[in-house]
Amino acid sequence: MIDEGVKALFNPRSIAVIGASRHPGKIGYTILRNILDYGYKGKVYPVNPKADEILGLKAYKSVLDIPDEVDMAIIVVPEKIVLKVAEEAGRKEVKVLVVITSGFSEVGNVEAEEKLVEIARKYNMRILGPNIFGIAYTPLNLNATFGPNELKPGPIAFISQSGALGIALMGWTIMEEIGVSAIVSMGNMADIDVVDVSEYLAEDPNTKVITIYLEGLKPGTGRRFVEEMKKITRKKPVIVIKAGRSKRGAAAAASHTGSLAGSDQVYSAAFKQAGVLRALTTEEMFDWARVFASQPLPEGEETIIITNGGGVGVLATDAAEENGVKLLDPSPELKEAFKKTMPWFGSPKNPVDLTGQAVVENYVEALKIAFESPEIHNIIVLYCQTAILDPRELAPAIIKVVREYNNKKPIVVGMVGGIETYEGMKILKKNNIPAYPSPEKAVVALSALIKYKRYLEKQSKI
Ligand code: COA
């Protein structure tokens, strides 16, 4: 059963911003402005005893003065006032507190954090934070963060235990055409933790894949993490990047959010047990998430590589073997069919090498064969930039074929070259086709999808 307070985090009917500031540049101003500019449709109430009006909205001296129910209260006042305004929010029957303020357990101020939790328990409120940058939930047009405000809606949820990195990655998702459903800053996890948020997102129809930047779990919560995540990963893929792998990194993580970094092997074992996919870099996490967000799960393991360059084909072949991606040995009939898509000196084996002479039509014909052949379950398209084939023309052609076949098989694209390939990949990504700047990245991303499919099959037999 998902708690009312956690539900209110993603579906508040009204929001009070306690510490909404009159001054541009302050966090309390930016959060209020982001909420309004991103188009949140519920009611918004700035609270500030020194102001009558902020950003065109009537301001209230206290949350208690608001003549309406308040589901969510965002707290952006200095630490020494937090307990007082939290108490008032409790009396107002607020469901969830989003505490942006720093200066709690992360700097050793454990007592204030415990008092905050006590107040929340007394009034049956939940707390996100403290020490966070906020929460965004794009299906509700809600951006209650002080991060960038041009978030692209989509099916990837991102939960971050790091603040600054989380904000930075918000900006990065915009640049990379990564569509997000939710971005949740976890901070000190005094109450609501990664598992609570993941449980909600597992049931959320707007989220297809959950990504987590994790520094460490709270002491005593490891077993719950494994047990609950096991249930969640049967519903949706969860990709975690766990920072603090090294000894020094673990120490840095402990002083950052006050969490127990623990031994890396213990985390690895826990992730494995829970069916959580572990990425090693943030880039890798989003590389994989992009495939889960846009591609169907494969019907089987047999994979074909279609390329215009022998070299990238070989690199992809190595990466496939290293990452458990099974390359198909095409039947003589299939080889015959591929042969018709290339010059006489091409290769119809796997990788299917259309040669450097390939033009759009060669790719289109080969792709159509790949979609139609029952021997093939997964498709990797590779492209090396040549002067005779512009990637910005190849990209729309690939999109057209994928649509013609209803994207019935997973497809990933790897493009190597200059600025034009970057633009070609942007076109593909905008149209929900995962595209990567190297053959290896394309293969590894596909391998995550295949591994998850295997995991689901194994679970269904248990
Ligand atoms: N109720 C509501 N608002 C109140 C208040 C009260 N009881 N008392 C004061 N305020 C108002 C202030 O008047 C001010 O508004 P103004 O600018 O219009 O005067 C506003 O609340 C903010 O107070 P201020 O004292 O200016 O604080 P600040 O903006 O300098 O800092 C925090 C507040 C929360 C941003 C700061 O303490 C903090 O924690 N910063 C770190 C946040 C962070 O990095 N979080 C983690 C990110 S990952």
Side-chain angles (χ1 to χ4, degrees):
M1 266 285 281
I2 293 172
D3 180 276
E4 283 302 310
V6 176
K7 274 190 202 157
L9 201 54
F10 294 92
N11 202 8
R13 284 165 305 163
S14 52
I15 302 175
V17 182
I18 305 177
S21 168
R22 296 159 292 176
H23 301 107
K26 278 199 185 179
I27 293 182
Y29 178 92
T30 309
I31 290 184
L32 181 64
R33 194 202 55 203
N34 273 358
I35 293 174
L36 299 177
D37 287 357
Y38 200 65
Y40 171 66
K41 299 282 185 301
K43 299 220 177 83
V44 186
Y45 301 105
V47 177
N48 183 331
K50 293 184 198 142
D52 296 322
E53 193 189 288
I54 305 174
L55 284 164
L57 295 176
K58 177 177 162 46
Y60 294 85
K61 306 281 173 224
S62 156
V63 70
L64 289 164
D65 299 335
I66 297 170
D68 186 13
E69 288 178 9
V70 175
D71 281 350
M72 175 193 282
I74 301 169
I75 297 186
V76 214
V77 292
E79 181 272 326
K80 55 184 183 308
I81 324 178
V82 168
L83 297 183
K84 176 181 171 281
V85 298
E87 182 80 36
E88 289 174 359
R91 283 167 53 206
K92 183 69 187 165
E93 296 181 5
V94 165
K95 293 185 179 131
V96 65
L97 294 178
V98 172
V99 186
I100 305 292
T101 312
S102 302
F104 291 87
S105 67
E106 83 282 7
V107 291
N109 189 4
V110 177
E111 202 189 329
E113 192 161 305
E114 282 174 358
K115 280 197 180 136
L116 180 63
V117 174
E118 254 173 52
I119 294 170
R121 300 257 189 278
K122 182 164 88 181
Y123 292 106
N124 204 17
M125 286 187 293
R126 300 300 303 268
I127 303 170
L128 184 69
N131 186 29
I132 58 173
F133 63 83
I135 176 164
Y137 185 59
T138 59
L140 204 69
N141 284 1
L142 174 64
N143 183 0
T145 74
F146 58 97
N149 210 12
E150 299 81 31
L151 287 177
K152 184 178 142 75
I156 301 175
F158 174 44
I159 302 170
S160 180
Q161 209 178 350
S162 163
L165 180 68
I167 294 178
L169 289 175
M170 275 175 91
W172 189 73
T173 61
I174 298 166
M175 184 182 81
E176 283 290 315
E177 302 288 345
I178 294 172
V180 294
S181 56
I183 296 191
V184 188
S185 175
M186 297 310 303
N188 299 0
M189 297 197 289
D191 174 31
I192 294 175
D193 68 5
V194 169
V195 173
D196 295 317
V197 173
S198 302
E199 275 175 338
Y200 181 90
L201 294 169
E203 301 298 330
D204 173 31
N206 301 301
T207 297
K208 277 195 188 161
V209 48
I210 300 168
T211 60
I212 306 174
Y213 169 88
L214 187 71
E215 289 197 349
L217 298 168
K218 286 271 177 194
T221 62
R223 190 176 297 268
R224 178 171 112 90
F225 179 87
V226 172
E227 289 313 314
E228 297 308 316
M229 281 298 180
K230 221 185 243 175
K231 294 179 204 155
I232 293 166
T233 53
R234 284 178 189 198
K235 296 178 194 158
K236 280 174 198 176
V238 178
I239 309 168
V240 172
I241 169 154
K242 164 72 178 64
R245 288 203 308 274
S246 62
K247 254 195 185 154
R248 270 180 175 249
S255 66
H256 183 198
T257 42
S259 54
L260 267 196
S263 138
D264 195 62
Q265 284 108 312
V266 174
Y267 275 101
S268 274
F271 295 153
K272 205 165 171 206
Q273 254 189 50
V276 166
L277 295 159
R278 182 175 190 176
L280 290 185
T281 63
T282 47
E283 200 181 357
E284 190 169 68
M285 179 165 78
F286 285 108
D287 278 355
W288 299 357
R290 207 191 275 284
V291 182
F292 286 111
S294 62
Q295 298 305 300
L297 282 178
E299 292 287 324
E301 302 257 339
E302 302 290 353
T303 304
I304 197 90
I305 299 171
I306 299 168
T307 180
N308 70 341
V312 287
V314 178
L315 289 173
T317 305
D318 285 344
E321 197 168 300
E322 282 156 17
N323 290 281
V325 173
K326 184 173 184 306
L327 295 184
L328 170 76
D329 283 323
S331 65
E333 298 74 40
L334 187 54
K335 275 193 261 188
E336 234 6 83
F338 276 130
K339 234 180 185 170
K340 299 196 177 91
T341 69
M342 59 187 64
W344 65 268
F345 49 87
S347 167
K349 294 181 196 157
N350 195 6
V352 174
D353 187 355
L354 305 174
T355 80
Q357 195 175 300
V359 291
V360 167
E361 288 69 32
N362 300 103
Y363 272 98
V364 166
E365 288 314 310
L367 252 180
K368 284 184 176 177
I369 292 167
F371 269 112
E372 265 167 37
S373 165
E375 292 176 39
I376 297 170
H377 304 120
N378 305 294
I379 306 166
I380 299 170
V381 175
L382 302 177
Y383 164 80
C384 277
Q385 191 164 12
T386 65
I388 54 162
L389 174 50
D390 189 324
R392 294 163 300 188
E393 283 168 24
L394 178 59
I398 294 174
I399 294 162
K400 197 161 167 246
V401 180
V402 173
R403 292 211 177 127
E404 207 178 304
Y405 288 92
N406 241 337
N407 207 166
K408 67 177 179 177
K409 296 176 184 179
I411 176 169
V412 293
V413 179
M415 285 189 165
V416 183
I419 185 75
E420 296 83 359
T421 57
Y422 180 80
E423 287 164 7
M425 286 190 283
K426 205 166 167 108
I427 298 171
L428 289 166
K429 290 188 269 191
K430 257 195 175 145
N431 287 278
N432 292 323
I433 298 178
Y436 304 94
S438 77
E440 295 90 345
K441 281 187 173 195
V443 172
V444 174
L446 179 69
S447 80
L449 193 72
I450 295 171
K451 279 180 195 148
Y452 182 63
K453 161 85 174 169
R454 278 184 210 139
Y455 169 73
L456 286 184
E457 278 172 357
K458 211 168 136 197
Q459 293 305 309
S460 68
K461 285 181 198 140
I462 292 174

